[in-house]
């Protein structure tokens, strides 16, 4: 009976999977003419909560350094840390974007935000950036490696330059920042919290974003290794793996037509994308004195997307109650082994 039932389930699973694939193809082609679908009913159970989570003044007297702090998740984390009293230094290649963001956040929070130009791919530029930061604020208490780059591409079409473009920013850039600051902090007998923003597919791997997946996995290995080695110097290293969070830069490059966003929401058990403010609150907590026993942690923050995709039979949630009744009747009527 077990073999018969397994065969029936496998046939149903194949049918469901084929139906899902065809649905994706047809909806992708027709998307520009379609209106946005209503949100899944469960989304009402999981509303995002705005505002800052930690008590006011939690980062008073602290300095936070955030790469990629001018836009997207970096801007959100900078805003939250600034609201909590941290003097923030944001860095990226585009100084004009950084300066505008720094002025806007400083005006909003009343806490000074500094803009320092830095190409994280260049060790000399990183060293000069840290020199400038030391002059402005002193060495940081919080370091968030958030700078990243990504694009979708079949791996057989990747050039060596395309590979380097991503890995130089994500893996080498994170290493250059971490090692430069770590060495200076150790020399000055200063502790610090290091946080890296990676992705859920750093753990699973993913086709079509192979340079990013490889580089992010390397970042996670780097941080877990240093958590073991540099704790003796007062350094903590933690990682957040965000699921899909809508930010202008990421979605414009990875999902320009909006096709994939609908499919992502369909497979996220909470029924919605994440909000930048949510990851900002998590990052602030991990970087704060409330989390001093947390080091070497990898926190998946994705509304359940990873486990939803990982389960062999999770797509059976698309089976209707009537179909389940029919399946149960067929299973009960099956005799033999």
């Amino acid at each position: 009976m077990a073999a018969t039932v397994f065969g029936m389930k496998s046939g149903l699973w194949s049918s469901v999977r084929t139906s899902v694939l065809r649905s994706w193809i047809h909806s992708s082609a027709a998307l520009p003419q379609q209106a946005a679908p209503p949100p899944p009913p469960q989304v009402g159970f999981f509303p995002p909560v705005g505002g800052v989570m930690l008590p006011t003044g939690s980062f008073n007297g602290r300095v936070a350094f955030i790469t990629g702090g001018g836009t997207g998740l970096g801007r959100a984390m900078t805003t939250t840390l600034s609201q909590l009293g941290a003097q923030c230094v944001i860095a990226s290649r585009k100084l004009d974007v950084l300066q505008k963001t720094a002025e806007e956040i400083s005006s909003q929070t009343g806490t000074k935000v500094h803009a320092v130009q830095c190409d994280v791919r260049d060790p000399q530029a990183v060293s000069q950036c840290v020199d400038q930061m030391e002059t402005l604020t002193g060495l940081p208490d919080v370091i968030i490696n958030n700078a990243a780059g990504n694009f979708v591409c079949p791996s057989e079409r990747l050039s060596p330059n395309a590979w380097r473009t991503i890995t130089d920013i994500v893996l080498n850039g994170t290493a250059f920042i971490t090692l430069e600051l770590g060495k200076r902090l150790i020399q000055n007998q200063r502790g610090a919290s290091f946080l890296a923003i990676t992705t859920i597919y750093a753990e699973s791997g993913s086709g079509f974003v192979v340079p990013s997946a490889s580089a992010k996995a390397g970042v996670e290995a780097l941080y877990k290794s240093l958590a073991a080695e540099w704790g003796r110097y007062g350094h903590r290293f933690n990682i957040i793996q965000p699921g899909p969070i809508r930010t202008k830069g990421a979605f414009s490059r990875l999902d320009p037509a909006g096709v994939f966003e609908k499919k992502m929401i369909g497979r996220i058990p909470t029924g919605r994308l994440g909000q930048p403010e949510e990851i900002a609150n998590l990052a602030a907590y991990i970087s704060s004195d409330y989390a001093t026993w947390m080091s070497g942690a990898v926190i998946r923050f994705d509304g359940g997307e990873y486990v939803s995709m990982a389960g062999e039979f999770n797509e059976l949630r698309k089976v209707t109650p009537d179909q389940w009744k029919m399946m149960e009747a067929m299973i009960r009527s099956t005799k033999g082994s």
Side-chain angles (χ1 to χ4, degrees):
M1 177 178 178
T4 304
V5 172
F6 181 77
M8 292 164 56
K9 288 184 176 179
S10 297
L12 176 62
W13 169 240
S14 177
S15 176
V16 169
R17 184 168 53 191
T18 302
S19 175
V20 171
L21 177 60
R22 287 173 178 165
S23 175
W24 189 89
I25 292 171
H26 291 307
S27 65
S28 299
L31 179 65
Q33 288 77 38
Q34 292 178 345
Q42 73 269 27
V43 73
F45 292 103
F46 308 105
V49 176
V52 176
M53 179 178 71
L54 294 180
T56 301
S58 292
F59 284 86
N60 282 353
R62 305 294 177 90
V63 173
F65 176 68
I66 303 98
T67 66
T71 59
L73 297 182
R75 178 181 179 127
M77 291 184 285
T78 301
T79 300
T80 294
L81 290 168
S82 182
Q83 288 174 323
L84 291 167
Q87 189 176 181
C88 294
V89 179
I90 56 176
S92 77
R93 286 176 293 167
K94 297 181 179 179
L95 185 58
D96 56 337
V97 174
L98 287 175
Q99 289 173 334
K100 181 180 179 182
T101 296
E103 291 170 3
E104 290 173 351
I105 296 176
S106 297
S107 175
Q108 176 185 342
T109 66
T111 307
K112 180 64 176 177
V113 177
H114 304 273
V116 178
Q117 190 171 30
C118 182
D119 184 347
V120 298
R121 303 169 298 178
D122 180 354
Q124 185 176 355
V126 168
S127 180
Q128 292 171 350
C129 168
V130 176
D131 287 341
Q132 188 175 351
M133 177 171 54
E134 280 203 80
T135 300
L136 290 169
T137 64
L139 289 170
D141 306 281
V142 173
I143 299 97
I144 300 179
N145 274 292
N146 169 71
N150 199 6
F151 56 83
V152 290
C153 180
S155 297
E156 66 271 21
R157 298 176 65 88
L158 283 172
S159 66
N161 186 59
W163 177 270
R164 283 194 300 267
T165 296
I166 304 306
T167 56
D168 276 354
I169 297 171
V170 176
L171 179 54
N172 292 339
T174 298
F176 295 152
I177 290 286
T178 300
L179 294 172
E180 181 70 31
L181 280 168
K183 291 173 185 178
R184 297 197 195 198
L185 287 162
I186 291 168
Q187 184 177 7
N188 286 272
Q189 298 184 325
R190 290 275 304 276
S193 168
F194 290 79
L195 176 65
I197 309 301
T198 62
T199 174
I200 60 172
Y201 59 71
E203 183 174 346
S204 65
S206 177
F208 303 98
V209 285
V210 169
S212 173
S214 303
K216 293 284 192 180
V219 168
E220 294 194 359
L222 169 70
Y223 264 46
K224 287 183 281 189
S225 300
L226 289 176
E229 184 180 349
W230 280 3
R232 58 187 170 151
Y233 299 125
H235 297 170
R236 299 190 294 118
F237 291 85
N238 293 293
I239 298 154
I240 298 175
Q241 296 178 338
I245 297 175
R246 171 166 276 285
T247 60
K248 181 179 179 182
F251 273 68
S252 65
R253 289 189 295 274
L254 298 177
D255 187 27
V259 173
F260 204 47
E261 179 179 343
K262 293 183 180 181
K263 299 304 166 186
M264 284 189 290
I265 291 174
R267 70 178 179 235
I268 297 173
T270 56
R272 66 173 177 87
L273 302 180
Q275 300 290 324
E277 294 75 16
E278 293 178 291
I279 196 170
N281 272 319
L282 178 59
Y285 166 73
I286 292 171
S287 304
S288 76
D289 288 344
Y290 294 92
T292 55
W293 208 48
M294 180 184 291
S295 191
V298 181
I299 300 174
R300 194 183 300 144
F301 194 60
D302 68 346
E305 182 189 30
Y306 185 93
V307 293
S308 176
M309 293 189 295
E312 179 77 17
F313 291 94
N314 283 342
E315 286 296 311
L316 290 176
R317 63 180 176 263
K318 299 181 184 297
V319 176
T320 66
D322 287 341
Q323 288 172 331
W324 277 117
K325 289 179 182 178
M326 182 172 62
M327 285 177 59
E328 289 167 2
M330 294 171 67
I331 292 169
R332 288 195 185 100
S333 67
T334 303
K335 297 181 180 181
S337 60

